[in-house]
């Protein structure tokens, strides 16, 4: 494999334009954090980051019910933004320079994943004709948990002006209103109370407190200067704001560098915050002084070193798929930086990147985040479990609130350890969180063999949560003495308060077995501790035996007719929701339908049975998994961001290649593409963890079972190879997967035995082992249950060359001249559509009617604009992989045709110097209807004298894919997998096409001399 570490395109998220409407989304995407402090990614001169969060800062408030019954949660908790110290307004001669200013001529922003930095560059045209360039570097220190550091470098290009930086601390941000979206929060509007502010030896400071007067927060800013010091420094105090103005007289070529250090300190309020505020402020200022002494360059180096250590043990490298590689690294980075670094705080569903879900922790932390962390940053995984131990007393209190006399029930959503769910059917009723925490303990122990954790914390959690199942469940005479669990909610929140949820019962059985095994391990290996813990918990001598008995007799609902697990009792008796008839704008269903409506149908919000089958992979055989996958995939909306990953992982195990990759892509790009419409309020860290598991436990087949490590790697057709490095039991291992072989390397630690598919390997230090990649693990690009491919038909734009941009420019010119609204979003509808149909789409927004003659004139004018632009097209404009694909097909004697909606296609082929490859070019003027009608593809097949079902057609548009499928051909999509979901397979581009993944489908055509064949340009 090539060196995957040194491709800069996969290490940096690069934005080239500031879009004001995407401000909140970008604030989440470009957020920085360190597990204690989180700073959103807004621009300093645009009002600041958009939100700063500290894990200890949250507010408790009452939940108001019109009808409150015993055991209902009485309070909720909300993480609140603290004072934002990232504000640095930028003024030239008193005029404010902002990213959306009309004066801006250049804007770029990079999230540097390798080094943990946010970088930015902007250039403004000043009113007097000169230019001002701004370069910003921002970091949230991994080594100094309280520290935000910002470097502002400003350079004058032929500019003479008065420059002012107004550096501030803003304390006027609040938790957002909920509106109609329960994923945001309760809409309390909480904000911190601004108590005091001041300047101490040039350092500005503020003091805030929570409304419940439990915590106080200091924020201090400190400025350092490289080059000219400010000529003037002024201080200004406003309503919940503090400003320090730094001013210079700029002249051409002058450069100003300002380093701003900001720190926060949280401390408990006792006898009023003033009694302790002075000492805490002094302590914080001393730490800022120490950081200032180190200097910005060294702070950047500290950050680089920390990230280098992380990436060395968390390498996930892909060859041939830069977009997926970048998305994986983005998700790894965000999960690592937001994961809590303290046992005092858990990791919220949105981490420290936003205010969504009010900062609450759910089962996400254990099921999706912890396994990824256990294999990359096990110390962070341990902190997550230590948090659960720290809040064990809260779980015990919650169990009593729910009328359980012993044991512990962890809250469904929490910050402090108390239940915050005001809607118990999809909150407190999800008892399966106990089993999720137990499962996570087992995963952590399997990954680390950290038996000390079991002794210190883990065993107590296991026993207290296990004994709760004995009170929730009971033995049923009607089910021949089976152990049943009634009145709970499983992972699928579109079914609530059900009996015998398959996932819950299966996970509870695993939980009870594991607790029983750990009890006997303690008795055998640490009898004194077992005795002390048993006494403290008042464990009866025979109580662990009852756990094993319940697990053994656990009832698991099964449908005999379908031969699959039933999601719960009665679930398969319900009518199926008509997903095809549901309007697209009615998803997610939870925002449009009453819960009771959803509860009455077979419809799943997310993986439930499928979730069970990946967490307990030996529960059923492969055939039952296949049947379960197919059935539940058909009724699942994936309205939860937690859903696509489990389906992807199970699909990978079943070698359902496209389904596995589609689910992985959905999970990977939840936030990058804002697929669920709520990334504005923070990133989905569980989806980030899930995407990593799609690769590790799905495609790479990594399975942890006690002390045995098993891998069953597969190779997707669109990848040329991949590499995973991970931590396991004080070792660091690496797997390199290539088209025909795998290489296992023990990078650190002692020798170990692993299993590769069905082969046992003995790994020793510095002695890599090469093993064959089984043939059935080399995924084909297309399904194998079809006739062999005898011909390939290409679209042109977006497949062989990117002339789509030239089309857009021509349409935009026509729209501007005609006074019609047009933009890139409207232009997406024109993709793959013929000229006159495209014109009709354009004219939908016209304020006047157009005669047929006028329409023809507009179409001709647009074509003239396009032809002007294609005059400059050359062979260099072929897309990557295009010529290699054409060469490979010609060398194999596979006939090729073109089916483009563009009447200029023959001229473009000549300009691209690829005309000789095509045996037939379908004429769009000779067919009655354009795409999505199949006529042009059928004409191409007829021109090659090949049956449609023996053709592969390659397209980049939705209309084109629809046309291909209507023609009865196999469809290869080029572009966005989510948009082209109707294709049989999707690639980013032809550069990802590996012919060995097509060979089982290809049938060589008997051509005497394919090199000399010239294309026919006539349709039959």
């Amino acid at each position: 494999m090539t060196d995957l570490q040194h491709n800069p395109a996969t290490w940096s998220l690069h934005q080239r334009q500031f879009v004001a409407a995407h401000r909140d989304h970008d604030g989440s995407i470009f957020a920085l954090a360190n597990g204690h402090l989180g700073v959103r990614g807004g621009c300093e001169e645009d009002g600041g980051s958009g939100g700063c969060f500290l894990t200890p800062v949250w507010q408790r408030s009452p939940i108001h019910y019109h009808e409150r019954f015993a055991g209902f949660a009485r309070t909720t908790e909300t993480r609140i933004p603290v004072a934002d110290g990232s504000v640095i307004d930028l003024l030239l001669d008193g005029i404010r320079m902002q990213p959306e200013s009309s004066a801006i001529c250049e804007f770029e922003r990079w999230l540097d994943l390798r080094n943990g930095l946010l970088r930015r560059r902007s250039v403004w045209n000043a009113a007097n004709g000169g230019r001002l360039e701004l370069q910003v570097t921002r970091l949230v220190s991994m080594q100094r948990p309280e520290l935000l550091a910002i470097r502002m470098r400003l350079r004058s290009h032929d500019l003479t002006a008065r420059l002012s930086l107004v550096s501030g601390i803003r304390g006027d941000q609040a938790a957002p209103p909920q509106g109609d979206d329960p994923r945001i929060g309760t809409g309390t509007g909480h904000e911190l109370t601004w108590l005091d502010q001041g300047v101490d030896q040039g350092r500005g400071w503020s003091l805030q407190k929570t409304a419940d007067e439990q915590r106080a927060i200091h924020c201090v800013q400190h400025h350092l200067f490289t080059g000219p010091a400010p000529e003037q420094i002024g201080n200004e105090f406003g309503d919940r704001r503090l400003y320090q103005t730094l001013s210079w007289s700029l002249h051409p070529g002058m450069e100003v560098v300002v380093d701003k250090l900001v720190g926060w300190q949280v401390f408990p309020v006792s006898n009023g915050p003033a009694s302790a505020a002075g000492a805490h402020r002094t302590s914080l200022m001393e730490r800022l002084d120490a950081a200032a002494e180190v200097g910005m360059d060294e702070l950047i180096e500290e950050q680089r070193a920390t990230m280098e250590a992380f990436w060395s043990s968390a390498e996930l490298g892909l060859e041939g798929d830069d977009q997926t590689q970048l998305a994986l690294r983005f998700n790894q980075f965000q999960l690592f930086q937001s994961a809590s670094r303290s046992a005092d705080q858990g990791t919220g569903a949105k981490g420290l990147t936003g205010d969504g879900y009010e900062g609450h922790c759910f089962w996400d932390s254990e099921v999706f985040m912890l396994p990824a962390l256990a294999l990359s940053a096990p110390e962070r995984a341990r902190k997550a479990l230590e948090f659960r131990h720290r809040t064990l007393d809260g779980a015990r209190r919650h169990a009593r609130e729910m009328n359980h006399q012993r044991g512990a029930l962890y809250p469904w959503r929490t910050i402090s350890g108390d239940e915050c769910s005001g809607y118990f059917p999809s909150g407190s009723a999800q008892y399966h969180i106990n089993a999720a925490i137990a499962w996570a303990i087992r995963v952590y122990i399997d990954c680390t063999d950290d038996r000390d954790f079991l002794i210190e914390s883990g065993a107590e959690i296991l026993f207290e949560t296990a004994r709760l199942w004995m009170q929730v469940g009971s033995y049923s005479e009607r089910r021949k003495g089976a152990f049943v669990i009634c009145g709970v909610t499983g992972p699928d929140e579109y079914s609530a308060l059900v009996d015998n949820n398959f996932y819950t019962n299966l996970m509870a059985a695993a939980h009870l077995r594991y607790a029983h095994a750990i009890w006997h391990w303690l008795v055998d290996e640490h009898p004194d501790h077992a005795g002390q813990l048993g006494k403290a918990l008042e464990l009866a001598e025979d109580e662990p035996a009852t756990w094993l008995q319940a697990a053994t007799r656990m009832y698991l609902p099964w449908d005999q007719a379908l031969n699959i697990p039933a999601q719960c009792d009665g679930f398969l008796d319900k009518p199926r929701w008509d997903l095809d008839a549901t309007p697209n704008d009615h998803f997610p269903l939870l925002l449009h339908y009453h819960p009771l409506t959803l509860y009455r149908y077979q419809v799943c919000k997310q993986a439930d049975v499928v979730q069970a089958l990946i967490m307990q992979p030996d529960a059923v055989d492969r055939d039952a998994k296949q049947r379960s996958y197919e059935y539940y995939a058909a009724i699942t909306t994936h309205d939860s961001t937690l859903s696509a990953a489990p389906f992807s992982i199970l699909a990978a195990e079943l070698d359902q290649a496209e389904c596995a990759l589609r689910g992985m892509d959905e999970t990977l790009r939840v936030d990058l593409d804002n697929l669920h419409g709520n990334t504005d309020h923070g990133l989905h860290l569980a989806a980030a963890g899930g995407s990593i598991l799609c690769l590790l436990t799905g495609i790479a087949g990594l399975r942890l079972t006690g002390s045995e490590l098993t891998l069953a790697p597969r190779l997707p057709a669109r990848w040329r190879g991949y590499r995973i490095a991970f931590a396991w039991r004080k070792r660091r291992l690496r797997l390199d997967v290539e088209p025909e072989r795998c290489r296992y390397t023990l990078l650190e630690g002692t020798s170990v035995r692993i299993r590769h598919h069905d082969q046992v390997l003995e790994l020793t230090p510095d002695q890599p082992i090469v093993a064959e990649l089984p043939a059935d693990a080399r995924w084909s690009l297309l399904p194998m249950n079809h006739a062999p491919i005898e011909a390939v038909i290409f679209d042109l734009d977006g497949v062989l060359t990117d002339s789509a941009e030239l089309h857009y420019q021509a349409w935009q010119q026509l729209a501007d001249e005609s006074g019609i609204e047009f933009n890139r979003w409207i232009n997406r509808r024109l993709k793959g559509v013929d000229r006159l149909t495209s014109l009709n789409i354009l004219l939908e927004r016209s304020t006047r009617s157009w005669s047929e003659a006028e329409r023809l004139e507009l179409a001709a004018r647009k074509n003239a604009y396009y032809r002007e632009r294609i005059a400059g097209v050359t062979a260099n404009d072929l897309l990557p992989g295009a010529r290699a694909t054409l060469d490979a097909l010609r060398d194999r004697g596979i006939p090729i045709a073109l089916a483009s909606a563009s009447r200029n296609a023959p001229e473009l082929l000549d300009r691209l110097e690829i005309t000789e490859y095509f045996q037939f070019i379908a004429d769009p003027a000779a067919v009655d209807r354009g795409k999505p009608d199949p006529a042009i593809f059928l004409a191409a097949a007829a021109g090659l004298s090949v049956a449609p079902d023996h053709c592969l057609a390659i397209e980049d548009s939705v209309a084109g894919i629809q046309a291909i499928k209507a023609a009865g051909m196999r469809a290869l999509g080029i572009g966005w997998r989510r948009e082209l979901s109707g294709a049989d397979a999707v690639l980013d581009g032809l550069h990802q096409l590996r012919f060995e993944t097509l060979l089982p489908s290809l049938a060589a055509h008997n051509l005497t001399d394919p090199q000399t064949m010239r294309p026919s340009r006539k349709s039959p």
Side-chain angles (χ1 to χ4, degrees):
M1 291 182 65
T2 58
D3 188 348
L4 301 173
Q5 288 288 339
H6 297 291
N7 182 354
T10 65
W11 282 105
S12 179
L13 192 67
H14 192 186
Q15 183 184 62
R16 293 177 174 84
Q17 183 181 5
F18 180 86
V19 180
H22 298 168
R23 183 183 274 114
D24 290 337
H25 174 259
D26 293 342
S28 300
I29 293 295
F30 291 101
L32 295 175
N34 61 17
H36 173 75
L37 165 67
V39 179
R40 283 173 60 81
C43 303
E44 287 79 2
E45 71 277 14
D46 192 41
S49 70
C52 299
F53 301 91
L54 295 167
T55 54
V57 180
W58 50 272
Q59 169 72 49
R60 180 178 281 116
S61 57
I63 300 175
H64 299 287
Y65 302 91
H66 288 292
E67 298 174 354
R68 180 169 67 191
F69 294 93
F72 279 27
R74 293 182 174 270
T75 61
T76 189
E77 298 160 351
T78 304
R79 180 159 289 139
I80 309 170
V82 298
D84 189 348
S86 68
V87 180
I88 309 178
D89 292 339
L90 173 60
L91 287 80
L92 281 181
D93 290 332
I95 300 174
R96 189 175 177 189
M97 300 287 104
Q98 293 179 282
E100 59 183 311
S101 165
S102 60
I104 199 163
C105 58
E106 296 180 41
F107 179 92
E108 290 184 282
R109 176 160 45 182
W110 302 265
L111 183 61
D112 180 349
L113 304 173
R114 183 191 287 275
N115 298 304
L117 304 171
L118 179 59
R119 304 182 189 271
R120 187 161 53 85
R121 177 180 175 273
S122 302
V123 179
W124 289 268
N125 289 320
N128 62 8
R131 291 189 304 155
L132 178 70
E133 179 179 348
L134 168 66
Q135 296 180 21
V136 182
T137 301
R138 180 192 294 182
L139 67 86
V140 172
S141 174
M142 294 288 183
Q143 295 294 326
R144 303 164 191 262
E146 74 286 344
L147 180 66
L148 163 68
I150 303 168
R151 169 163 285 176
M152 305 275 287
R153 184 185 299 273
L154 298 111
R155 179 175 298 168
S156 165
H157 294 273
D158 303 320
L159 175 65
T160 301
R162 186 67 175 173
L163 170 67
S164 297
L165 297 184
V166 184
S167 179
I169 300 174
R170 290 180 52 185
D172 57 350
Q173 293 180 306
Q178 172 184 321
D180 294 324
D181 192 337
R183 299 170 298 178
I184 298 173
T186 60
T188 59
H190 282 312
E191 61 182 89
L192 297 172
T193 302
W194 186 274
L195 293 177
D196 202 1
Q197 59 196 338
V199 176
D200 186 346
Q201 298 181 4
R203 295 163 296 193
W205 59 267
S206 69
L207 179 62
Q208 298 172 289
K209 70 171 181 178
T210 55
D212 59 9
E213 300 195 351
Q214 294 296 306
R215 285 164 288 279
I217 307 96
H218 262 309
C219 179
V220 176
Q221 66 179 24
H222 184 30
H223 301 97
L224 306 171
F225 309 104
T226 302
E231 299 162 3
Q232 184 178 350
I233 299 178
N235 302 314
E236 179 183 346
F237 305 102
D239 180 20
R240 293 177 294 175
R241 300 185 183 192
L242 159 71
Y243 295 114
Q244 294 183 277
T245 302
L246 319 171
S247 300
W248 293 262
S249 295
L250 278 184
H251 55 76
M254 180 176 171
E255 184 173 272
V256 171
V257 180
V258 179
D259 294 338
K260 178 175 181 177
L261 307 182
V262 187
W264 288 263
Q265 169 111 2
V266 184
F267 55 96
V269 175
S270 57
N271 300 322
S275 62
H280 286 291
R281 185 167 68 247
T282 298
S283 172
L284 177 57
M285 288 182 174
E286 288 173 352
R287 278 174 281 150
L288 280 185
D289 289 345
E293 185 70 24
V294 167
M296 187 69 177
D297 291 336
E298 183 58 33
L299 292 174
I300 292 173
E301 176 57 27
E302 284 182 358
Q303 193 82 339
R304 186 205 62 76
T306 300
M307 294 308 303
E308 182 180 36
F310 169 69
W311 290 119
S312 70
S313 61
E315 183 180 357
L316 301 181
L318 307 182
E319 187 171 10
D321 193 347
D322 287 356
Q323 290 188 34
T324 298
Q325 172 72 89
L326 176 60
L328 269 170
R329 283 187 173 141
F330 172 80
N331 287 345
Q332 283 181 288
F333 173 74
Q334 294 292 358
L335 178 60
F336 174 68
Q337 70 165 0
S338 271
S340 179
R341 58 195 294 158
S342 168
D344 292 332
Q345 303 294 332
T347 301
K350 297 280 191 175
L352 293 165
T353 65
D355 45 44
Y357 292 112
E358 300 180 81
H360 292 166
C361 303
F362 297 79
W363 72 315
D364 308 16
S365 177
E366 281 74 30
V367 173
F368 294 91
M369 303 181 207
L370 184 137
L373 289 170
L375 292 163
S376 60
E379 69 286 352
R380 294 286 179 104
R382 194 184 211 268
K383 293 300 181 187
L385 294 174
E386 287 175 348
F387 166 72
R388 292 300 191 180
H389 186 256
R390 189 189 69 78
T391 58
L392 183 56
D393 282 343
R396 292 183 175 111
R397 287 194 304 272
H398 185 46
R400 307 301 173 267
E401 292 168 350
M402 301 293 286
N403 305 118
H404 303 300
Q405 299 307 308
R406 58 197 322 187
L409 173 60
Y410 278 96
W412 180 240
R413 55 190 303 166
T414 188
I415 293 179
S416 72
D418 292 334
E419 178 64 86
C420 294
S421 177
Y423 184 65
F424 73 87
S426 61
S428 299
Q430 298 200 56
Y431 277 71
H432 65 84
I433 190 170
N434 269 14
I437 293 169
W439 179 83
I441 291 173
R442 182 166 194 163
V443 167
Y444 173 74
I445 296 301
D446 286 348
C447 287
T448 65
D449 199 29
D450 183 1
R451 300 284 167 161
D452 289 343
F453 171 76
L454 280 176
I455 295 170
E456 296 165 7
S457 311
E460 185 178 9
I461 296 173
L462 286 170
F463 302 157
E464 282 288 80
T465 50
R467 66 199 320 191
L468 199 83
W469 293 118
M470 308 308 297
Q471 299 168 73
V472 181
S474 60
Y475 292 96
S476 169
E477 293 183 9
R478 292 185 63 253
R479 298 196 183 276
K480 300 179 181 180
F483 193 81
V484 299
I485 300 175
C486 300
V488 298
T489 299
D492 169 31
E493 294 175 354
Y494 287 170
S495 297
L497 301 180
V498 302
D499 296 340
N500 295 308
N501 170 250
F502 179 83
Y503 171 89
T504 301
N505 287 22
L506 183 66
M507 293 296 293
H511 180 180
L512 290 165
R513 285 193 179 93
Y514 190 51
H516 175 266
I518 293 303
W519 169 254
H520 283 283
W521 171 78
L522 270 182
V523 169
D524 293 342
E525 301 294 331
H526 303 277
D528 291 344
H529 182 73
Q532 294 168 7
L533 186 58
K535 182 177 181 180
L537 299 182
E538 298 181 354
L539 275 174
E541 184 176 348
D542 63 344
E543 191 171 349
T546 67
W547 302 343
L548 182 60
Q549 182 185 44
T552 303
R553 296 168 65 179
M554 186 69 68
Y555 173 70
L556 297 174
W558 190 275
D559 185 83
Q560 297 298 329
L562 296 171
N563 205 14
I564 61 172
Q567 183 167 296
C568 61
D569 289 353
F571 180 79
L572 297 175
D573 297 326
K574 301 176 184 179
R576 289 176 68 153
W577 187 285
D578 192 344
L579 294 174
D580 292 335
T582 304
N584 287 335
D585 60 0
H586 279 210
F587 295 93
L589 300 181
L590 64 94
L591 299 185
H592 301 277
Y593 299 93
H594 193 283
L596 286 176
T597 301
L598 299 173
Y599 296 164
R600 295 184 182 117
Y601 285 87
Q602 273 190 71
V603 60
C604 299
K605 178 185 179 185
Q606 64 198 82
D608 196 300
V609 169
V610 168
Q611 185 77 51
L613 298 183
I614 66 164
M615 293 176 70
Q616 300 298 328
D618 297 324
V620 302
D621 63 27
R622 183 184 176 91
D623 289 342
K625 289 180 182 179
Q626 180 70 52
R627 293 190 297 271
S628 300
Y629 179 90
E630 292 173 356
Y631 188 88
Y632 287 103
I635 61 172
T636 302
T637 64
H638 304 294
D639 283 348
S640 167
T641 60
L642 307 181
S643 188
F647 274 89
S648 173
I649 293 167
L650 186 57
E653 182 182 343
L654 298 170
D655 292 311
Q656 301 288 318
E658 273 303 299
C659 294
L661 292 172
R662 186 174 293 120
M664 182 175 177
D665 282 353
E666 289 276 330
T667 309
L668 269 173
R669 305 199 66 84
V670 159
D671 291 312
L672 289 173
D673 295 334
N674 198 13
L675 297 182
H676 285 248
N678 62 346
T679 298
D680 289 5
H681 294 277
L683 304 179
H684 298 80
L685 291 191
S691 69
I692 296 165
L693 297 179
C694 286
L695 177 58
L696 292 177
T697 64
I699 292 172
L702 189 154
R703 185 185 291 187
L704 300 161
T705 308
S707 59
E708 183 176 72
L709 178 63
T710 298
L711 294 105
R714 299 115 175 145
L715 181 61
R718 62 172 166 162
W719 298 351
R720 300 189 183 280
Y722 63 91
R723 171 182 296 166
I724 62 173
F726 55 94
W728 186 74
R729 297 197 166 211
K730 299 180 181 178
R731 302 173 179 88
R732 193 161 63 90
L733 301 97
R734 188 175 71 211
L735 164 66
D736 290 274
V737 179
E738 298 174 357
E740 295 183 354
R741 63 189 60 84
C742 300
R743 178 180 292 103
Y744 291 91
T745 306
L746 179 60
L747 301 174
E748 292 179 9
T750 57
S751 301
V752 62
R753 176 180 296 179
I754 67 171
R755 185 177 295 275
H756 165 77
H757 290 277
D758 294 326
Q759 181 181 1
V760 176
L761 306 177
E762 295 279 353
L763 272 182
T764 57
D766 302 320
Q767 292 292 324
I769 293 180
V770 176
E772 181 183 3
L773 183 65
D776 59 1
R778 305 168 199 169
W779 283 348
S780 296
L781 187 63
L782 298 174
M784 298 300 296
N785 56 344
H786 289 284
I789 295 167
E790 297 179 359
V792 177
I793 302 171
F794 286 88
D795 179 39
L796 179 59
D797 294 344
V799 175
L800 297 171
T801 187
D802 191 10
S803 55
E805 178 64 21
L806 304 182
H807 279 292
Y808 166 71
Q809 294 171 9
W811 284 117
Q812 186 69 66
Q813 182 177 348
L814 183 71
D816 292 343
E817 292 173 351
S818 306
I820 301 171
E821 178 191 356
F822 188 70
N823 54 42
R824 291 187 182 275
W825 184 255
I826 300 170
N827 185 63
R828 290 175 66 88
R829 295 178 57 197
L830 277 53
K831 200 172 184 181
V833 179
D834 65 76
R835 190 185 309 155
L836 289 177
T837 306
S838 296
L839 178 65
N840 290 334
I841 294 172
L842 175 72
L843 295 181
E844 288 174 354
R845 288 165 177 76
S846 177
T847 57
R848 54 159 290 193
S849 59
W850 299 79
S851 68
E852 185 64 24
E854 287 176 318
R855 288 172 181 264
L856 292 174
E857 189 278 328
L858 288 174
R861 201 185 334 154
K862 181 269 173 183
N863 188 49
Y865 296 153
Y866 175 65
R867 289 180 61 81
E868 289 174 3
R869 287 169 169 82
I870 65 173
V873 171
T874 70
N876 292 329
D877 292 305
L878 276 172
L879 287 172
R883 189 176 296 278
T885 299
L886 295 171
D887 283 336
L889 288 171
R890 184 169 63 179
D891 293 346
R892 289 167 172 81
I894 303 298
I896 307 170
L898 189 76
S900 171
S902 173
R903 300 187 184 188
N904 299 294
E907 179 182 349
L908 268 173
L909 292 184
D910 288 342
R911 292 186 176 279
L912 293 166
E913 300 178 13
I914 56 173
T915 301
E916 64 178 348
Y917 290 95
F918 293 85
Q919 283 77 59
F920 186 80
I921 299 173
D923 182 359
V927 296
D928 294 334
R929 293 174 298 277
K931 305 169 187 177
D933 189 273
I936 196 167
F937 285 101
L938 293 173
L944 294 175
S945 299
V946 177
D949 64 341
H950 286 254
C951 293
L952 167 68
I954 307 177
E955 258 281 3
D956 74 321
S957 71
V958 174
I961 296 297
Q962 291 171 343
I964 294 168
K965 300 307 290 183
M969 301 176 182
R970 271 158 289 178
L972 173 59
I974 300 295
W976 192 23
R977 184 173 299 272
R978 181 180 177 86
E979 185 176 67
L980 304 177
S981 58
D984 294 292
V986 181
L987 302 177
D988 292 339
L990 291 174
H991 64 282
Q992 289 186 331
L993 182 59
R994 290 191 295 116
F995 269 85
E996 60 267 32
T997 68
L998 267 179
L999 286 176
S1001 302
L1002 283 172
H1005 207 273
N1006 185 22
L1007 297 177
T1008 55
D1009 187 8
Q1011 300 282 351
T1012 61
M1013 292 193 69
R1014 299 293 298 170
S1016 165
R1017 298 191 179 184
K1018 297 180 181 179
S1019 293

